[in-house]
Amino acid sequence: MTSSIKEQSKKSWFEKVLTAIEVAGNKLPDPVTLFVIFCTAIILISWIASSSGVSIIHPASGETVTVVNLMSRDGMIRILTGFVSNFQSFPPLGLVLVVMIGAGVAEKSGLMQTAMKNSISKVPANLVTATIVFVGIMANAAGDAGFIVLPPLAAVIFLSIGRHPVVGIFAAYAGVAGGFAANLMINMADILAASFTIPAAQVIDPNYQGTPAMNWYFIMVSTLFLVVAAVFVTERIIAPRFGKYDGVLEEDTETKINSQERKALKWAGVSIVFLIIALISLSIGENAFMKDPETGSILAASSPLMRGLVPIVTLIFLVPGLVYGKLTGSIKNDKEAVTMMGDSMRDMGPYIILAFVASQFLAYFNWSNIGIIMSVKGAEFLQNAGFTGIGLIIGFIILSSFINIFVGSASAKWAIMAPIFVPMFLLLGYNPALTQMAYRIGDSLTNPLSPLFPYFPILLAFARKYDKKAGIGTMIANMLPYSIVFALIWTILLVIFMLFNIPLGPDTGIYYTM
């Protein structure tokens, strides 16, 4: 990048705004501490609101719902005796940990890294950018691997074809971080989001059924559009800002895979094919195992296929991970495989602590009836103000993207927002799947921009390897075009789905009636 552009970036008002955001964000407590504060606030608010006689009429049952005082003797006893049961019954905890058994093995065996290397190492030069972005979007199913492996690999690939390596880093990061809510397959992000959305919707409608696949159609279509958008931004906006790179390819940088890894990757792929064949065979026939016995549908929320997505996704990661590890020697016996599973659980330690305090917050929220009262009151306000429809959804996307700048954890944000916005929008006639998708779009858009995003410092370190003067302003200035274009594409796409009532996923429309 030319020095003049760097100087302008350093002196711009935008840089000052970004610095202010970073300083403000750094002053926020850890998400765990935030939930402790929220728990305390809920208890105090329940006391005040109960004393004031706050109540609403439940829109489904017609019964009067009042605020329950958690500071009363009964309330405090329930809090004291509910700690363990709240944690045990927290939906996202078990779902995420089960998926991580498989995903952890796939990552720690080396399968994910090798798959990413193999997918872009022999791609024609004119398709490199598109492939890197596509792999980046798909890599969000691999957890941390996409953020850690792909950007430096993309830099080397770009350098090997005579292009500036930092451009490759930015394209890869845009795909992994900015396209976090897109994919061609159901993955842990879908499972985690649904685990908050479904119980939030059931506060209003106990009969509501949802699955991790509720956004599947939309995220698949999104993947294709975002790849095209990212290629446009990379080639028309980012690449022209960088001159010729004068550095050299480091000798210790490995971009190829050896014959053993190639063989293992091949058989890992074969194992996935066998799993898919088995899944298809269980879904074919009048009395197929995966079909709903009452409706005969395999895509209904009540079908074994939809209800069993979590273990299915786990197997899709676990089996090829074991095959790859065994053939490469990274897994020599069953003890090493179990150790990998244990290591993946150990890596989830911070999440488990977060889940513990979040489970208490959600329990207090439900016990006090504050959640349903806020939802009903909020829905009434929005209806009276005439703020519904497309404008409401776009506003929610903007709100989610703004909050994401300060709070990077997707699960922490959705744990707070889902109990309020899912019921509120449901009362306005919108399917919880639509609310969830709008949130996930906003949550992804500002990932590449936020200095508080956990992988932002890693990106900066990668970039500084090739540009010693790169700083926070450099990162954000070059990631901003991706976020803007992604925002436009994603918002327009969601509006089209809304206008034509296109299903967001299997058996999941835009609107919802109780």
Side-chain angles (χ1 to χ4, degrees):
M1 187 168 57
T2 63
S3 59
S4 61
I5 293 178
K6 294 178 183 176
E7 292 300 322
Q8 291 173 8
S9 176
K10 290 179 181 178
K11 297 179 181 179
S12 68
W13 63 269
F14 186 61
E15 174 71 12
K16 295 178 181 179
V17 172
L18 296 176
T19 301
I21 290 174
E22 182 181 13
V23 171
N26 286 333
K27 291 182 179 179
L28 285 174
D30 185 88
V32 171
T33 306
L34 279 176
F35 274 111
V36 172
I37 295 172
F38 291 150
C39 286
T40 305
I42 288 295
I43 295 172
L44 292 174
I45 292 172
S46 73
W47 169 56
I48 297 171
S50 177
S51 302
S52 303
V54 175
S55 66
I56 54 96
I57 302 299
H58 195 291
S61 65
E63 298 178 353
T64 300
V65 178
T66 59
V67 177
V68 175
N69 181 11
L70 297 181
M71 287 191 70
S72 65
R73 183 177 185 277
D74 290 341
M76 296 306 294
I77 290 176
R78 191 174 189 182
I79 290 173
L80 179 64
T81 59
F83 270 101
V84 175
S85 59
N86 293 341
F87 186 45
Q88 289 176 331
S89 60
F90 188 55
L93 181 62
L95 299 179
V96 171
L97 293 184
V98 169
V99 172
M100 282 305 299
I101 293 174
V105 171
E107 180 181 357
K108 294 182 183 301
S109 66
L111 172 61
M112 294 300 186
Q113 293 87 333
T114 302
M116 280 187 277
K117 287 182 180 181
N118 184 67
S119 61
I120 64 177
S121 60
K122 291 187 176 181
V123 174
N126 61 336
L127 295 177
V128 164
T129 303
T131 304
I132 286 175
V133 175
F134 175 74
V135 172
I137 293 174
M138 295 299 295
N140 63 45
D144 296 344
F147 292 97
I148 297 172
V149 175
L150 191 58
L153 179 61
V156 174
I157 297 295
F158 262 60
L159 190 56
S160 67
I161 60 175
R163 302 190 63 182
H164 202 295
V166 176
V167 177
I169 290 175
F170 289 150
Y173 191 68
V176 182
F180 196 76
N183 212 293
L184 295 183
M185 61 179 286
I186 305 301
N187 59 74
M188 189 167 65
D190 299 277
I191 294 169
L192 184 61
S195 64
F196 288 105
T197 303
I198 294 170
Q202 290 171 344
V203 170
I204 298 296
D205 185 1
N207 296 320
Y208 174 78
Q209 290 185 322
T211 73
M214 65 176 73
N215 294 148
W216 189 19
Y217 298 162
F218 186 84
I219 65 174
M220 283 195 294
V221 175
S222 297
T223 301
L224 304 178
F225 279 91
L226 293 185
V227 169
V228 174
V231 170
F232 172 82
V233 172
T234 302
E235 303 301 342
R236 297 296 182 90
I237 301 176
I238 305 301
R241 304 184 76 234
F242 291 80
K244 182 180 179 182
Y245 183 70
D246 298 325
V248 295
L249 179 64
E250 295 184 7
E251 294 181 358
D252 63 346
T253 302
E254 185 62 52
T255 62
K256 306 296 181 180
I257 63 175
N258 57 43
S259 58
Q260 185 182 31
E261 291 172 331
R262 192 174 302 280
K263 177 183 176 182
L265 188 62
K266 171 186 173 183
W267 284 106
V270 170
S271 71
I272 294 178
V273 172
F274 274 111
L275 286 173
I276 293 174
I277 291 175
L279 191 61
I280 293 174
S281 65
L282 291 172
S283 304
I284 295 177
E286 184 177 349
N287 298 312
F289 178 79
M290 290 295 182
K291 286 185 176 181
D292 186 325
E294 295 184 2
T295 65
S297 172
I298 62 172
L299 298 180
S302 57
S303 71
L305 177 63
M306 291 294 104
R307 290 189 289 117
L309 274 178
V310 172
I312 290 172
V313 171
T314 302
L315 286 175
I316 289 175
F317 282 115
L318 177 61
V319 173
L322 292 172
V323 171
Y324 179 88
K326 188 63 177 177
L327 292 178
T328 58
S330 61
I331 300 177
K332 297 182 178 61
N333 51 51
D334 61 322
K335 293 183 178 62
E336 291 190 352
V338 173
T339 298
M340 285 185 179
M341 296 177 190
D343 289 341
S344 67
M345 292 297 104
R346 183 177 60 189
D347 294 341
M348 295 299 291
Y351 172 77
I352 293 173
I353 298 299
L354 175 64
F356 174 75
V357 292
S359 67
Q360 310 306 320
F361 166 76
L362 289 177
Y364 302 167
F365 208 63
N366 291 330
W367 294 346
S368 65
N369 288 330
I370 291 175
I372 185 173
I373 289 175
M374 288 181 62
S375 300
V376 173
K377 293 290 186 182
E380 290 176 353
F381 171 79
L382 291 173
Q383 285 179 323
N384 294 334
F387 191 52
T388 58
I390 292 173
L392 176 65
I393 300 301
I394 293 176
F396 186 56
I397 292 175
I398 295 172
L399 174 64
S400 302
S401 63
F402 178 76
I403 294 175
N404 186 55
I405 295 175
F406 300 94
V407 183
S409 172
S411 57
K413 289 192 300 292
W414 196 223
I416 298 169
M417 298 173 70
I420 299 173
F421 289 98
V422 170
M424 185 187 302
F425 287 9
L426 189 149
L427 290 170
L428 295 174
Y430 297 111
N431 197 304
L434 175 64
T435 309
Q436 176 182 283
M437 195 64 245
Y439 163 75
R440 294 179 67 187
I441 291 173
D443 178 63
S444 297
L445 291 178
T446 47
N447 279 344
L449 299 176
S450 176
L452 306 177
F453 193 62
Y455 301 100
F456 191 91
I458 298 176
L459 176 72
L460 183 57
F462 290 150
R464 281 180 173 169
K465 182 177 180 180
Y466 302 99
D467 183 355
K468 302 299 181 183
K469 296 182 179 180
I472 292 177
T474 309
M475 302 298 101
I476 299 179
N478 286 283
M479 297 312 299
L480 183 61
Y482 290 106
S483 291
I484 292 175
V485 174
F486 280 14
L488 292 173
I489 294 295
W490 242 334
T491 302
I492 292 173
L493 188 60
L494 189 60
V495 168
I496 291 174
F497 269 68
M498 291 180 65
L499 290 176
F500 294 95
N501 197 17
I502 303 173
L504 295 168
D507 198 29
T508 308
I510 298 296
Y511 304 100
Y512 186 83
T513 55
M514 291 184 288

